[in-house]
Amino acid sequence: MPLRLYDTEAAAVRDFEPLRPGAASIYLCGATVQAPPHIGHLRSGVAFDVLARWLEVGHGLDVTFVRNVTDIDDKILTKAADAGRPWWAWAYTHEQAFTAAYDAVGVRRPTYEPRATGHVPEMVELMELLVERGHAYAADDGSGDVYFDVRSFAEYGVLTHVRLDDVAPAEDADPRGKRDPRDFALWKGSKAGEPATASWPTPFGRGRPGWHLECSAMARRYLGDAFDVHGGGLDLRFPHHENEQAQSRAAGLGFASYWLHNGWVTQGGEKMSKSLGNSLLVTEVLKGTTPLALRYYLGSAHYRSNLEHSATSLAEAESAVGRVETFLRRVQPVVEAYASRPAGSGAPALRLPPAFRAAMDDDLNVPGALAVLHDTVRAGNVALDNDREQFAVAAANDVTAIVRALGIDPLDPHWTGGTGAASSAQAAQEKALTALVQAQLDARAQAKARKDFAAADAVRDTLAAAGVRVQDSSDGARWSLGG
């Protein structure tokens, strides 16, 4: 079954056919680093991390992933000035906060993460090309502004299916220098009172880039004139993505083959945003929720659906990942026992269940994929309870393959603090615990062999009081934490 994705421009699900065999390219609109991230900001990061992982794991593609940083913007200048800080320091502080938030929830670092301020030459080059081709013009009021002429491009509106006659005036710059109120700014001339460091020289005068121009130039710089997927939140479809596509295609570039847009995190049906006062900062949420549970929650709905946040949302996610982790830890001794058997009779290789593959290939139907995961966990627990070890091991391998593909493996060192010294310390603790428990189980086995069942039961009770569950099987006693 081919991977099928919903393309906003086509308004339909399409077979995914990459431009270059064996490879895929993705551009994701990243953060405008004006303030600390709330959990709504992480939704697109998680959604497109899942896409990139599935392209790699499910379809064997070499993925180039670009996620930009908008580090120059009207709001950044205003907020930095209000705080009495340099705009570039303000932006970098919040860029670091976003990086920490992405890292916390297991969103992998992109192949490239360009900052807008580092790519002004490419923006000026693209702007000059648009002027040369008759699709852009410098304002004649001496402001230094440069605008895209929407009436010059017949395809304007095809991405979001809007008619030019229905488009409202663009509010991104002073309209006095525009030929048409709907024309949008490619370049904003320097204004009195703005920091001198927030402007760059161009043939049209000093100034700074418009938001739309930034993304077109950076996508071209790292992915070429044409690439596979452009992604972002639903709120970016118009005007941002419509304007990106218009200016890029007007310049003669193929630009994106597929447009994917993720839904919002909502509260009371409204988009989570600081302006509504309903934001949940990532740093605050993670004081009461594990990073794994937050990632699970953010990825649990279909990426195109809005995700309603309630008081119980994160607790439900904690419970879901807890069930998966409990099973994997419970079955681990059985898997290890199978793996140690002679060649040809050990544990089977990891595989992705066909039902999971079908769900993921159906426009990344993660809810359907999670249903397969939890069904497999339940089947694995039943197999363990009934000493059907071969079935339990097969279930464990399927579960492991699924959670790795989705980036939610509870045994991954990322979630358990398994890096550097922390990893070594945890490994030592686990080794010590295993040795101590095994010594108790050996003593219990010896007591049972001499028919001292009271002593055997006492060992079992002692372990149970310490949170160690013991279960007898044909291969001997197995143990797990919890329950």
Side-chain angles (χ1 to χ4, degrees):
M1 178 177 176
L3 172 61
R4 292 173 59 76
L5 299 171
Y6 184 89
D7 175 28
T8 299
E9 182 173 358
V13 175
R14 298 171 52 204
D15 287 358
F16 179 69
E17 298 177 0
L19 293 171
R20 186 160 64 91
S25 47
I26 302 172
Y27 183 90
L28 174 63
C29 280
T32 298
V33 287
Q34 55 166 308
H38 58 65
I39 63 172
H41 288 127
L42 298 186
R43 179 85 193 278
S44 66
V46 171
F48 286 91
D49 184 59
V50 169
L51 170 62
R53 289 171 185 264
W54 185 241
L55 290 171
E56 292 173 356
V57 174
H59 293 271
L61 300 178
D62 180 15
V63 177
T64 301
F65 192 107
V66 178
R67 185 184 67 218
N68 77 295
V69 176
T70 298
D71 61 341
I72 183 72
D73 171 85
D74 291 347
K75 292 180 179 179
I76 291 173
L77 296 181
T78 299
K79 291 186 177 184
D82 291 344
R85 296 186 62 193
W87 65 270
W88 42 266
W90 183 263
Y92 187 57
T93 295
H94 295 110
E95 178 185 337
Q96 290 178 306
F98 270 88
T99 298
Y102 288 131
D103 287 348
V105 297
V107 171
R108 299 181 302 176
R109 299 283 179 96
T111 314
Y112 308 109
E113 192 168 22
R115 297 189 186 99
T117 54
H119 296 79
V120 172
E122 290 93 337
M123 298 173 199
V124 174
E125 179 184 358
L126 180 56
M127 180 169 58
E128 289 182 307
L129 178 58
L130 287 167
V131 171
E132 178 185 320
R133 292 172 69 99
H135 292 294
Y137 61 92
D140 57 11
D141 60 357
S143 64
D145 294 343
V146 180
Y147 298 106
F148 182 85
D149 183 351
V150 294
R151 290 178 298 175
S152 73
F153 186 61
E155 295 179 27
Y156 189 83
V158 298
L159 174 62
T160 52
H161 313 286
V162 298
R163 296 172 60 250
L164 185 56
D165 289 345
D166 297 329
V167 173
E171 298 179 351
D172 55 356
D174 191 321
R176 288 177 294 181
K178 296 183 178 183
R179 296 174 183 171
D180 187 302
R182 298 164 295 188
D183 294 347
F184 60 87
L186 299 173
W187 194 258
K188 299 181 178 183
S190 282
K191 306 294 189 297
E194 292 182 346
T197 53
S199 67
W200 290 262
T202 77
F204 312 103
R206 292 192 66 87
R208 54 189 171 83
W211 181 29
H212 317 307
L213 183 68
E214 293 175 353
C215 284
S216 284
M218 288 186 282
R220 185 188 189 194
R221 169 66 177 80
Y222 291 97
L223 297 177
D225 290 354
F227 55 94
D228 294 315
V229 175
H230 195 312
L234 287 172
D235 50 324
L236 301 184
R237 289 176 299 179
F238 191 91
H240 184 45
H241 288 167
E242 187 69 65
N243 291 350
E244 270 191 74
Q245 175 162 285
Q247 67 197 6
S248 295
R249 291 188 177 170
L253 311 179
F255 210 52
S257 299
Y258 299 81
W259 286 88
L260 273 64
H261 292 96
N262 63 272
W264 302 324
V265 177
T266 59
Q267 284 185 303
E270 293 187 273
K271 176 178 176 285
M272 185 171 290
S273 68
K274 291 180 177 61
S275 62
L276 292 175
N278 61 353
S279 62
L280 288 168
L281 293 181
V282 175
T283 51
E284 293 302 309
V285 171
L286 290 180
K287 290 178 181 178
T289 303
T290 63
L292 174 56
L294 179 55
R295 180 191 173 95
Y296 181 97
Y297 162 67
L298 291 172
S300 59
H302 192 280
Y303 77 93
R304 288 196 285 122
S305 301
N306 287 339
L307 179 61
E308 178 68 11
H309 181 75
S310 70
T312 62
S313 296
L314 294 173
E316 291 166 359
E318 290 278 14
S319 178
V321 297
R323 290 193 297 273
V324 176
E325 180 174 5
T326 297
F327 167 67
L328 288 176
R329 292 197 182 281
R330 183 185 177 204
V331 77
Q332 195 168 24
V334 181
V335 173
E336 291 172 354
Y338 264 71
S340 66
R341 291 179 178 180
S345 62
L350 299 183
R351 72 178 189 100
L352 289 166
F356 175 84
R357 283 188 166 277
M360 293 298 289
D361 281 340
D362 182 17
D363 193 29
L364 301 179
N365 180 10
V366 173
L370 290 175
V372 176
L373 168 64
H374 290 292
D375 285 347
T376 309
V377 166
R378 281 190 289 272
N381 278 318
V382 170
L384 281 175
D385 291 340
N386 291 280
D387 290 333
R388 301 177 67 191
E389 293 162 347
Q390 183 177 354
F391 292 96
V393 170
N397 287 340
D398 287 358
V399 168
T400 299
I402 290 172
V403 294
R404 288 180 181 176
L406 294 175
I408 55 172
D409 181 0
L411 304 187
D412 189 306
H414 177 83
W415 309 114
T416 58
T419 57
S423 178
S424 299
Q426 182 179 3
Q429 292 168 3
E430 291 179 352
K431 184 176 181 180
L433 175 63
T434 299
L436 291 170
V437 172
Q438 191 58 53
Q440 290 291 307
L441 292 179
D442 290 344
R444 178 172 176 265
Q446 292 168 9
K448 291 177 71 175
R450 61 176 185 268
K451 300 188 182 304
D452 187 352
F453 298 112
D457 290 344
V459 170
R460 185 179 193 135
D461 292 343
T462 298
L463 289 173
V468 178
R469 173 180 176 175
V470 178
Q471 185 171 18
D472 293 312
S473 72
S474 56
D475 279 344
R478 300 193 303 263
W479 67 275
S480 60
L481 293 176

